Amino acid sequence: MADKKNSRDILIEVASRLFRIHGYYGVGLNDIIEESGIPKGSLYHYFPKGKEELAIAAIHYTKEIVIGEIQEVFTSIEDPVQAIQTHIYQLSEGIFDKTNAFPGLSIGTIAGEKHSTSEPIRIACHAAFEEWQSMYTKKLLGAGYSDKQSKDLSIVINALIEGGIVYSLTATNGAPLRAIAEQIPLLLSIK
């Protein structure tokens, strides 16, 4: 049983990485099979509905990675301004400044590609955005922001991050994300 779980996990991890880099349409099942080293029969055993089903599992996997990264920062830094800035700086440094192997968008590419053609993928992407935003909301609520402010600001923060990643990809560096991080104190200056 452990081999089956490991093979499934490997397929999800590889699919997650490839979808983040190349998007849904830029990745075929053969790419995932080749990169993972998992036989085609195993892929269809774990994901009998094929690419869409695997993409949804990859979105959930990516969502959990991002949640872990946010939690790590938010647990260690109490101040929401510093915590959100640190999270964005870490994205900039980790994604763009330490390596030229850009991992791509968290789920932005796949969300943009499939939102109108796959309701299950749209729902999975929306749920990921909602969960990330809820983490920002909780951090802001804990610092005394109103419920409405916290929810609205969490949408703005998430949109800035997703847009900053796209802009940074086209710039091939993390400068746009760093500029966003530097503006967080201004954005959060009014409670």
Side-chain angles (χ1 to χ4, degrees):
M1 284 300 222
D3 288 340
K4 289 183 179 181
K5 184 178 186 314
N6 287 337
S7 294
R8 183 180 189 280
D9 291 345
I10 291 167
L11 287 166
I12 292 169
E13 290 172 22
V14 168
S16 171
R17 185 172 45 75
L18 292 176
F19 287 139
R20 286 190 321 259
I21 296 168
H22 303 294
Y24 186 84
Y25 294 116
V27 176
L29 289 178
N30 287 335
D31 299 319
I32 296 166
I33 290 165
E34 183 179 323
E35 181 102 8
S36 69
I38 304 296
K40 191 173 206 169
S42 293
L43 186 146
Y44 283 106
H45 171 75
Y46 296 115
F47 303 100
K49 296 179 184 174
K51 186 176 177 181
E52 181 181 65
E53 185 178 16
L54 179 55
I56 292 167
I59 291 164
H60 290 299
Y61 175 80
T62 302
K63 173 188 72 176
E64 293 302 321
I65 290 172
V66 174
I67 285 171
E69 291 170 354
I70 295 169
Q71 281 178 334
E72 186 176 321
V73 172
F74 283 14
T75 300
S76 65
I77 302 172
E78 187 174 331
D79 177 63
V81 174
Q82 290 178 348
I84 292 166
Q85 278 186 302
T86 299
H87 170 57
I88 298 170
Y89 282 131
Q90 285 181 350
L91 283 172
S92 170
E93 294 166 8
I95 294 174
F96 299 99
D97 296 341
K98 291 184 181 174
T99 176
N100 288 328
F102 301 128
L105 294 174
S106 53
I107 60 167
T109 301
I110 200 168
E113 288 177 324
K114 297 299 289 177
H115 74 280
S116 65
T117 58
S118 172
E119 187 66 3
I121 288 177
R122 184 202 65 76
I123 290 169
C125 290
H126 181 72
F129 288 137
E130 292 279 312
E131 285 193 48
W132 298 334
Q133 287 166 200
S134 74
M135 297 180 75
Y136 303 133
T137 298
K138 288 177 191 170
K139 190 70 167 173
L140 294 168
L141 282 169
Y145 290 83
S146 73
D147 187 57
K148 178 167 177 22
Q149 275 184 311
S150 297
K151 287 178 181 175
D152 289 350
L153 286 168
S154 72
I155 292 169
V156 172
I157 291 164
N158 198 49
L160 286 170
I161 290 170
E162 292 294 319
I165 292 171
V166 172
Y167 194 4
S168 290
L169 284 170
T170 61
T172 66
N173 65 63
L177 280 167
R178 286 191 298 275
I180 290 167
E182 290 166 10
Q183 297 306 310
I184 292 299
L186 181 61
L187 177 67
L188 300 181
S189 64
I190 300 174
K191 283 189 189 178

